[in-house]
Amino acid sequence: MIFKFIVKWLGSLKSVPMVALVFDSCLKIHAAIVNPQLLDCIDEVENEVCCWEGVTLSLHKYGGTQFNYKLKEIGHLHSNGILDIRLDRETKNLLVQENKAQEHHVFKKSGWISLYIVGKADVENAIAILCLSYKNSVNG
């Protein structure tokens, strides 16, 4: 809830250098105290995706871990478990219809989706949808 409040009312602060990265670090500390299982889930996703050929990890400009294929972002994972993935609109619409993902938490009319990783049950779906974005990048 606080994440949505921050994004909605204080989102303009993201343009201030380092603010988003510090905020994301605070989210990670909060998760470590309140829900350490979430950090295990995040690690599981990161460990799987970084093994894919051509994938590199970097810091996302708004905090979290960014997944790149040949310098092109395929998705990013914030430290509160929000996973944002870039897809083509057709795939996005299908996944949203099937309730496997939601519209992006900020950019609703884009090709981006958001998934909320809460526990172990969400990891498999997150990896499968990241794989769709990865395959689109590899083939396109």
Side-chain angles (χ1 to χ4, degrees), residues 36-105:
Q37 177 189 0
L38 175 60
L39 296 182
D40 293 338
C41 295
I42 289 170
D43 286 344
E44 193 173 335
V45 171
E46 289 176 358
N47 290 336
E48 171 64 27
V49 177
C50 75
C51 292
W52 298 345
E53 187 176 338
V55 171
T56 58
L57 304 181
S58 62
L59 284 176
H60 187 265
K61 63 184 172 184
Y62 300 131
T65 302
Q66 181 170 310
F67 307 105
N68 307 296
Y69 175 74
K70 293 189 177 178
L71 304 177
K72 187 175 183 182
E73 182 181 0
I74 59 174
H76 58 270
L77 180 55
H78 298 283
S79 294
N80 62 349
I82 294 179
L83 173 61
D84 298 319
I85 303 172
R86 183 182 55 80
L87 297 165
D88 60 84
R89 290 208 182 213
E90 183 179 330
T91 304
K92 171 199 172 172
N93 292 336
L94 181 64
L95 291 170
V96 170
Q97 263 184 340
E98 293 175 349
N99 290 319
K100 292 183 178 177
Q102 298 177 12
E103 299 279 346
H104 187 270
H105 59 99

Coordinates of all heavy atoms in Angstrom, one line a residue, residues 36-105:
P36 N 10.8 -12.3 5.2 CA 12.1 -12.8 4.7 C 11.9 -13.8 3.5 O 12.7 -13.9 2.7 CB 12.8 -13.4 5.9 CG 11.8 -13.5 6.9 CD 10.7 -12.6 6.7
Q37 N 10.7 -14.5 3.5 CA 10.5 -15.4 2.4 C 10.4 -14.7 1.1 O 10.8 -15.3 0.1 CB 9.1 -16.2 2.7 CG 8.8 -17.1 1.6 CD 7.4 -17.7 1.7 OE1 6.6 -17.4 2.6 NE2 7.0 -18.5 0.8
L38 N 10.0 -13.5 1.1 CA 9.9 -12.7 -0.2 C 11.3 -12.5 -0.8 O 11.5 -12.7 -2.0 CB 9.3 -11.3 0.1 CG 9.3 -10.4 -1.1 CD1 8.5 -11.0 -2.3 CD2 8.7 -9.0 -0.7
L39 N 12.3 -12.3 0.1 CA 13.7 -12.2 -0.4 C 14.2 -13.5 -1.1 O 14.9 -13.5 -2.1 CB 14.6 -11.7 0.7 CG 14.3 -10.3 1.2 CD1 15.4 -10.0 2.3 CD2 14.3 -9.3 0.2
D40 N 13.8 -14.6 -0.5 CA 14.1 -15.9 -1.1 C 13.5 -16.1 -2.5 O 14.1 -16.6 -3.4 CB 13.6 -17.1 -0.2 CG 14.4 -17.1 1.1 OD1 15.5 -16.6 1.2 OD2 13.9 -17.7 2.1
C41 N 12.2 -15.6 -2.6 CA 11.5 -15.7 -3.9 C 12.2 -14.8 -4.9 O 12.4 -15.2 -6.1 CB 10.1 -15.2 -3.7 SG 9.1 -16.4 -2.7
I42 N 12.6 -13.6 -4.5 CA 13.3 -12.7 -5.4 C 14.6 -13.3 -5.8 O 14.9 -13.2 -7.0 CB 13.5 -11.3 -4.7 CG1 12.2 -10.6 -4.6 CG2 14.5 -10.4 -5.5 CD1 12.2 -9.3 -3.7
D43 N 15.4 -13.8 -4.9 CA 16.6 -14.5 -5.2 C 16.4 -15.6 -6.2 O 17.2 -15.8 -7.2 CB 17.3 -15.0 -4.0 CG 17.9 -14.0 -3.1 OD1 18.1 -12.8 -3.6 OD2 18.3 -14.3 -2.0
E44 N 15.3 -16.4 -6.0 CA 15.1 -17.5 -6.9 C 14.8 -17.1 -8.4 O 15.3 -17.6 -9.3 CB 13.8 -18.3 -6.4 CG 13.7 -19.7 -7.0 CD 12.6 -20.5 -6.4 OE1 12.2 -20.3 -5.2 OE2 12.0 -21.4 -7.1
V45 N 14.0 -16.0 -8.5 CA 13.8 -15.4 -9.8 C 15.1 -14.9 -10.5 O 15.4 -15.2 -11.6 CB 12.7 -14.3 -9.8 CG1 12.6 -13.6 -11.1 CG2 11.4 -14.9 -9.4
E46 N 15.8 -14.1 -9.7 CA 17.1 -13.6 -10.2 C 18.1 -14.7 -10.6 O 18.7 -14.6 -11.6 CB 17.7 -12.7 -9.2 CG 17.0 -11.4 -9.0 CD 17.6 -10.5 -7.9 OE1 18.5 -10.9 -7.2 OE2 17.0 -9.4 -7.7
N47 N 18.2 -15.7 -9.8 CA 19.2 -16.8 -10.0 C 18.8 -17.6 -11.3 O 19.7 -18.0 -12.1 CB 19.2 -17.8 -8.9 CG 20.0 -17.2 -7.7 OD1 20.7 -16.2 -7.8 ND2 19.7 -17.7 -6.5
E48 N 17.5 -17.8 -11.5 CA 17.1 -18.5 -12.7 C 17.3 -17.6 -14.0 O 17.9 -18.1 -15.0 CB 15.6 -18.8 -12.6 CG 14.9 -19.3 -13.9 CD 15.5 -20.6 -14.4 OE1 16.0 -21.4 -13.6 OE2 15.5 -20.9 -15.6
V49 N 16.9 -16.4 -14.0 CA 16.9 -15.5 -15.2 C 18.4 -15.2 -15.5 O 18.7 -15.1 -16.7 CB 16.1 -14.3 -15.0 CG1 16.2 -13.3 -16.2 CG2 14.6 -14.7 -14.7
C50 N 19.2 -15.0 -14.6 CA 20.6 -14.6 -14.9 C 21.4 -15.8 -15.5 O 22.4 -15.6 -16.1 CB 21.3 -14.1 -13.7 SG 21.9 -15.3 -12.5
C51 N 20.8 -17.0 -15.5 CA 21.4 -18.2 -16.2 C 21.1 -18.3 -17.7 O 21.7 -19.1 -18.4 CB 21.0 -19.5 -15.5 SG 21.7 -19.6 -13.8
W52 N 20.1 -17.5 -18.1 CA 19.7 -17.6 -19.5 C 20.8 -16.9 -20.4 O 21.3 -15.9 -20.0 CB 18.4 -16.9 -19.7 CG 17.2 -17.5 -18.9 CD1 17.2 -18.7 -18.3 CD2 15.9 -16.9 -18.7 NE1 16.0 -18.9 -17.7 CE2 15.2 -17.8 -17.9 CE3 15.4 -15.7 -19.0 CZ2 13.9 -17.6 -17.5 CZ3 14.0 -15.4 -18.6 CH2 13.3 -16.4 -17.9
E53 N 21.0 -17.5 -21.5 CA 22.1 -17.1 -22.4 C 21.8 -15.6 -22.8 O 20.7 -15.3 -23.3 CB 22.1 -18.0 -23.6 CG 23.3 -17.6 -24.5 CD 23.4 -18.6 -25.7 OE1 22.9 -19.7 -25.6 OE2 24.0 -18.2 -26.7
G54 N 22.8 -14.8 -22.7 CA 22.8 -13.4 -23.1 C 22.1 -12.4 -22.1 O 22.0 -11.3 -22.3
V55 N 21.6 -13.0 -21.0 CA 21.0 -12.1 -20.0 C 22.0 -11.6 -19.0 O 22.8 -12.3 -18.5 CB 19.9 -12.9 -19.2 CG1 19.3 -12.1 -18.0 CG2 18.7 -13.2 -20.2
T56 N 21.9 -10.3 -18.7 CA 22.7 -9.6 -17.7 C 21.8 -8.9 -16.7 O 20.6 -8.6 -17.0 CB 23.7 -8.6 -18.3 OG1 22.9 -7.6 -19.0 CG2 24.7 -9.3 -19.2
L57 N 22.3 -8.7 -15.5 CA 21.6 -8.0 -14.5 C 22.2 -6.6 -14.3 O 23.4 -6.5 -14.4 CB 21.6 -8.8 -13.2 CG 21.1 -10.2 -13.2 CD1 21.2 -10.8 -11.8 CD2 19.7 -10.3 -13.7
S58 N 21.3 -5.7 -13.9 CA 21.8 -4.3 -13.6 C 20.9 -3.7 -12.6 O 19.8 -4.3 -12.4 CB 22.0 -3.5 -14.8 OG 20.7 -3.3 -15.5
L59 N 21.2 -2.6 -12.0 CA 20.3 -1.9 -11.2 C 19.3 -1.1 -12.1 O 19.7 -0.6 -13.1 CB 21.1 -0.8 -10.4 CG 21.8 -1.3 -9.2 CD1 22.6 -0.2 -8.5 CD2 20.9 -2.0 -8.2
H60 N 18.0 -1.2 -11.7 CA 17.0 -0.5 -12.5 C 17.0 1.0 -12.0 O 17.3 1.3 -10.8 CB 15.7 -1.1 -12.3 CG 14.6 -0.5 -13.1 ND1 13.8 0.5 -12.7 CD2 14.2 -0.8 -14.4 CE1 13.0 0.8 -13.7 NE2 13.2 0.1 -14.7
K61 N 16.8 1.9 -12.9 CA 16.9 3.3 -12.6 C 15.9 3.7 -11.5 O 16.1 4.7 -10.8 CB 16.7 4.2 -13.8 CG 15.3 4.1 -14.5 CD 15.3 4.9 -15.8 CE 14.0 4.6 -16.5 NZ 14.0 5.3 -17.8
Y62 N 14.8 3.0 -11.3 CA 13.8 3.3 -10.3 C 13.9 2.3 -9.1 O 13.0 2.1 -8.4 CB 12.4 3.4 -10.8 CG 12.3 4.4 -11.9 CD1 11.7 4.1 -13.1 CD2 12.8 5.7 -11.7 CE1 11.5 5.1 -14.1 CE2 12.7 6.7 -12.6 CZ 12.0 6.4 -13.8 OH 11.9 7.3 -14.8
G63 N 15.0 1.6 -9.0 CA 15.3 0.6 -7.9 C 14.9 -0.8 -8.3 O 14.1 -1.0 -9.1
G64 N 15.7 -1.7 -7.7 CA 15.5 -3.1 -8.0 C 16.5 -3.6 -9.0 O 17.4 -3.0 -9.4
T65 N 16.2 -4.9 -9.4 CA 17.1 -5.6 -10.3 C 16.5 -5.6 -11.7 O 15.4 -5.9 -11.9 CB 17.3 -7.0 -9.9 OG1 17.9 -7.0 -8.6 CG2 18.3 -7.8 -10.8
Q66 N 17.3 -5.1 -12.7 CA 16.9 -5.1 -14.1 C 17.4 -6.3 -14.8 O 18.6 -6.6 -14.7 CB 17.3 -3.8 -14.7 CG 16.9 -3.6 -16.2 CD 17.1 -2.2 -16.7 OE1 16.7 -1.3 -16.1 NE2 17.7 -2.1 -17.9
F67 N 16.6 -6.9 -15.6 CA 17.0 -8.1 -16.5 C 17.2 -7.6 -17.9 O 16.2 -7.0 -18.5 CB 16.0 -9.2 -16.4 CG 15.7 -9.6 -15.0 CD1 14.5 -9.3 -14.4 CD2 16.6 -10.4 -14.3 CE1 14.1 -9.7 -13.1 CE2 16.3 -10.8 -13.0 CZ 15.1 -10.4 -12.4
N68 N 18.3 -7.7 -18.5 CA 18.6 -7.3 -19.8 C 19.0 -8.4 -20.8 O 19.7 -9.3 -20.3 CB 19.8 -6.3 -19.8 CG 19.5 -5.1 -18.8 OD1 18.6 -4.4 -19.0 ND2 20.4 -5.1 -17.8
Y69 N 18.5 -8.3 -22.0 CA 19.0 -9.2 -23.0 C 19.7 -8.3 -24.1 O 19.0 -7.5 -24.7 CB 17.9 -10.0 -23.7 CG 18.4 -10.9 -24.8 CD1 19.2 -12.0 -24.6 CD2 18.2 -10.5 -26.1 CE1 19.7 -12.8 -25.6 CE2 18.7 -11.3 -27.2 CZ 19.4 -12.4 -26.9 OH 19.9 -13.1 -28.0
K70 N 21.0 -8.5 -24.3 CA 21.7 -7.6 -25.2 C 21.4 -6.1 -25.0 O 21.0 -5.5 -26.0 CB 21.5 -8.1 -26.7 CG 22.0 -9.4 -26.9 CD 22.0 -9.8 -28.4 CE 22.6 -11.1 -28.7 NZ 22.5 -11.5 -30.1
L71 N 21.5 -5.7 -23.8 CA 21.3 -4.3 -23.5 C 19.9 -3.8 -23.6 O 19.6 -2.6 -23.4 CB 22.3 -3.4 -24.3 CG 23.8 -3.7 -24.2 CD1 24.6 -2.7 -25.1 CD2 24.3 -3.6 -22.7
K72 N 19.0 -4.7 -23.8 CA 17.5 -4.3 -23.9 C 16.8 -4.9 -22.7 O 16.9 -6.1 -22.5 CB 16.9 -4.8 -25.2 CG 15.5 -4.3 -25.5 CD 15.1 -4.8 -26.9 CE 13.7 -4.3 -27.2 NZ 13.2 -4.8 -28.5
E73 N 16.1 -4.0 -22.0 CA 15.4 -4.5 -20.8 C 14.3 -5.4 -21.1 O 13.4 -5.1 -22.0 CB 14.9 -3.3 -20.0 CG 14.2 -3.7 -18.7 CD 13.6 -2.6 -17.9 OE1 13.8 -1.4 -18.3 OE2 13.1 -2.9 -16.8
I74 N 14.2 -6.6 -20.4 CA 13.1 -7.5 -20.6 C 12.1 -7.4 -19.4 O 11.0 -7.8 -19.4 CB 13.5 -8.9 -20.9 CG1 14.3 -9.5 -19.7 CG2 14.2 -9.0 -22.2 CD1 14.7 -11.0 -19.9
G75 N 12.7 -6.9 -18.3 CA 11.9 -6.7 -17.1 C 12.7 -6.2 -15.9 O 13.9 -6.2 -16.0
H76 N 12.1 -5.9 -14.8 CA 12.8 -5.5 -13.6 C 11.9 -5.9 -12.4 O 10.7 -6.0 -12.4 CB 13.2 -4.0 -13.6 CG 12.0 -3.1 -13.7 ND1 11.5 -2.7 -14.9 CD2 11.2 -2.5 -12.8 CE1 10.5 -1.9 -14.7 NE2 10.3 -1.8 -13.4
L77 N 12.7 -6.2 -11.3 CA 12.0 -6.7 -10.1 C 12.4 -5.8 -8.9 O 13.5 -5.7 -8.6 CB 12.5 -8.1 -9.8 CG 12.0 -8.9 -8.6 CD1 10.5 -8.9 -8.5 CD2 12.6 -10.3 -8.6
H78 N 11.4 -5.1 -8.4 CA 11.6 -4.3 -7.2 C 11.7 -5.1 -5.9 O 11.2 -6.2 -5.9 CB 10.4 -3.3 -7.1 CG 10.2 -2.4 -8.3 ND1 11.0 -1.3 -8.5 CD2 9.4 -2.4 -9.3 CE1 10.7 -0.7 -9.6 NE2 9.6 -1.3 -10.1
S79 N 12.2 -4.5 -4.9 CA 12.5 -5.2 -3.7 C 11.3 -5.5 -2.8 O 11.3 -6.1 -1.8 CB 13.5 -4.5 -2.8 OG 14.8 -4.5 -3.5
N80 N 10.1 -5.0 -3.3 CA 8.9 -5.3 -2.6 C 8.1 -6.4 -3.3 O 7.0 -6.8 -2.9 CB 8.0 -4.1 -2.4 CG 7.6 -3.5 -3.7 OD1 8.1 -3.9 -4.8 ND2 6.6 -2.6 -3.7
G81 N 8.7 -7.0 -4.3 CA 8.1 -8.2 -5.0 C 7.4 -7.8 -6.3 O 6.8 -8.7 -6.9
I82 N 7.3 -6.5 -6.6 CA 6.7 -6.1 -7.9 C 7.6 -6.4 -9.1 O 8.7 -5.8 -9.1 CB 6.2 -4.7 -7.9 CG1 5.1 -4.4 -6.8 CG2 5.7 -4.3 -9.3 CD1 4.7 -3.0 -6.7
L83 N 7.2 -7.2 -10.0 CA 7.9 -7.6 -11.2 C 7.2 -6.9 -12.4 O 6.1 -7.2 -12.6 CB 8.0 -9.1 -11.3 CG 8.6 -9.6 -12.6 CD1 10.0 -9.2 -12.7 CD2 8.5 -11.2 -12.6
D84 N 8.0 -6.1 -13.1 CA 7.4 -5.4 -14.3 C 8.1 -6.0 -15.5 O 9.3 -6.2 -15.5 CB 7.7 -3.9 -14.2 CG 7.0 -3.2 -13.0 OD1 5.9 -3.6 -12.8 OD2 7.7 -2.4 -12.4
I85 N 7.3 -6.4 -16.5 CA 7.8 -7.2 -17.6 C 7.3 -6.5 -18.9 O 6.1 -6.2 -19.0 CB 7.4 -8.6 -17.6 CG1 7.8 -9.3 -16.3 CG2 7.9 -9.4 -18.8 CD1 7.3 -10.7 -16.1
R86 N 8.2 -6.3 -19.9 CA 7.9 -5.7 -21.2 C 7.5 -6.8 -22.1 O 8.2 -7.8 -22.3 CB 9.1 -5.0 -21.7 CG 8.8 -4.3 -23.0 CD 10.0 -3.6 -23.6 NE 11.2 -4.4 -23.7 CZ 11.4 -5.3 -24.7 NH1 10.5 -5.4 -25.7 NH2 12.4 -6.0 -24.8
L87 N 6.3 -6.7 -22.7 CA 5.7 -7.6 -23.6 C 5.1 -6.9 -24.8 O 4.9 -5.7 -24.8 CB 4.6 -8.5 -23.0 CG 5.1 -9.4 -21.8 CD1 3.9 -9.8 -21.0 CD2 5.9 -10.5 -22.3
D88 N 4.8 -7.7 -25.9 CA 4.0 -7.1 -26.9 C 2.5 -7.0 -26.4 O 2.2 -7.7 -25.5 CB 4.1 -8.0 -28.2 CG 3.5 -9.4 -28.0 OD1 2.3 -9.6 -28.0 OD2 4.4 -10.3 -27.7
R89 N 1.8 -6.1 -27.0 CA 0.4 -5.8 -26.5 C -0.5 -7.0 -26.5 O -1.3 -7.2 -25.6 CB -0.2 -4.6 -27.2 CG 0.5 -3.4 -26.9 CD -0.3 -2.2 -27.0 NE 0.4 -1.0 -26.7 CZ -0.1 0.0 -26.1 NH1 -1.3 0.0 -25.8 NH2 0.7 1.1 -25.9
E90 N -0.4 -7.8 -27.6 CA -1.2 -9.0 -27.7 C -1.0 -10.0 -26.5 O -2.0 -10.4 -25.9 CB -1.0 -9.7 -29.0 CG -1.9 -10.9 -29.3 CD -1.6 -11.5 -30.6 OE1 -1.2 -10.8 -31.6 OE2 -1.8 -12.8 -30.7
T91 N 0.3 -10.3 -26.2 CA 0.6 -11.2 -25.1 C 0.2 -10.5 -23.8 O -0.4 -11.2 -22.9 CB 2.1 -11.5 -25.1 OG1 2.5 -12.0 -26.4 CG2 2.5 -12.4 -24.0
K92 N 0.4 -9.2 -23.7 CA 0.0 -8.5 -22.4 C -1.5 -8.7 -22.2 O -1.9 -9.1 -21.1 CB 0.4 -7.1 -22.5 CG -0.2 -6.3 -21.4 CD -0.3 -4.8 -21.7 CE -1.0 -4.1 -20.6 NZ -1.0 -2.6 -20.7
N93 N -2.3 -8.4 -23.2 CA -3.7 -8.5 -23.1 C -4.2 -9.9 -22.7 O -5.1 -10.0 -21.9 CB -4.4 -8.0 -24.4 CG -4.2 -6.5 -24.6 OD1 -3.9 -5.7 -23.6 ND2 -4.3 -6.0 -25.8
L94 N -3.6 -10.9 -23.3 CA -4.0 -12.3 -23.1 C -3.7 -12.6 -21.6 O -4.5 -13.2 -20.9 CB -3.2 -13.2 -24.0 CG -3.5 -14.7 -23.9 CD1 -5.0 -15.0 -24.2 CD2 -2.6 -15.5 -24.8
L95 N -2.5 -12.3 -21.1 CA -2.1 -12.6 -19.7 C -3.0 -11.8 -18.7 O -3.4 -12.4 -17.7 CB -0.6 -12.2 -19.5 CG 0.4 -13.1 -20.2 CD1 1.8 -12.5 -20.1 CD2 0.3 -14.5 -19.7
V96 N -3.3 -10.6 -19.0 CA -4.2 -9.9 -18.1 C -5.6 -10.5 -18.1 O -6.2 -10.7 -17.1 CB -4.3 -8.4 -18.5 CG1 -5.4 -7.6 -17.8 CG2 -2.9 -7.7 -18.3
Q97 N -6.1 -10.9 -19.3 CA -7.4 -11.6 -19.4 C -7.4 -12.9 -18.6 O -8.4 -13.2 -18.0 CB -7.7 -11.9 -20.9 CG -8.6 -10.9 -21.5 CD -8.9 -11.4 -23.0 OE1 -8.3 -12.2 -23.6 NE2 -10.0 -10.8 -23.5
E98 N -6.3 -13.6 -18.7 CA -6.2 -14.9 -18.0 C -5.9 -14.7 -16.5 O -5.7 -15.7 -15.8 CB -5.2 -15.8 -18.6 CG -5.6 -16.2 -20.0 CD -4.4 -17.0 -20.7 OE1 -3.3 -17.0 -20.2 OE2 -4.7 -17.5 -21.8
N99 N -5.8 -13.5 -16.0 CA -5.4 -13.2 -14.6 C -4.1 -13.7 -14.2 O -3.9 -14.0 -13.0 CB -6.5 -13.7 -13.6 CG -7.8 -12.9 -13.8 OD1 -7.7 -11.6 -13.9 ND2 -8.9 -13.5 -13.8
K100 N -3.2 -13.8 -15.2 CA -1.8 -14.3 -14.8 C -0.9 -13.0 -14.6 O 0.2 -13.2 -14.1 CB -1.2 -15.1 -16.0 CG -1.9 -16.4 -16.1 CD -1.3 -17.3 -17.2 CE -2.0 -18.6 -17.3 NZ -1.5 -19.4 -18.4
A101 N -1.4 -11.9 -14.9 CA -0.7 -10.6 -14.7 C -1.7 -9.5 -14.6 O -2.9 -9.7 -14.9 CB 0.3 -10.4 -15.8
Q102 N -1.2 -8.3 -14.2 CA -2.0 -7.1 -14.1 C -1.4 -6.0 -15.0 O -0.3 -6.1 -15.4 CB -2.1 -6.6 -12.7 CG -2.7 -7.6 -11.8 CD -2.7 -7.1 -10.3 OE1 -2.4 -5.9 -10.1 NE2 -3.0 -7.9 -9.4
E103 N -2.3 -5.1 -15.3 CA -1.8 -3.9 -16.0 C -0.6 -3.3 -15.2 O -0.6 -3.5 -14.0 CB -2.9 -2.8 -16.1 CG -4.1 -3.2 -16.9 CD -3.9 -3.1 -18.4 OE1 -3.0 -2.4 -18.8 OE2 -4.8 -3.6 -19.1
H104 N 0.4 -2.7 -15.9 CA 1.5 -2.1 -15.2 C 1.0 -1.2 -14.1 O 0.0 -0.5 -14.3 CB 2.4 -1.4 -16.2 CG 3.7 -0.9 -15.5 ND1 3.7 0.4 -15.0 CD2 4.9 -1.5 -15.4 CE1 5.0 0.5 -14.5 NE2 5.7 -0.6 -14.7
H105 N 1.6 -1.2 -13.0 CA 1.1 -0.4 -11.8 C 1.1 1.1 -12.0 O 0.5 1.8 -11.3 CB 1.9 -0.8 -10.5 CG 3.3 -0.6 -10.6 ND1 3.9 0.6 -10.1 CD2 4.3 -1.3 -11.2 CE1 5.2 0.5 -10.3 NE2 5.5 -0.6 -11.0

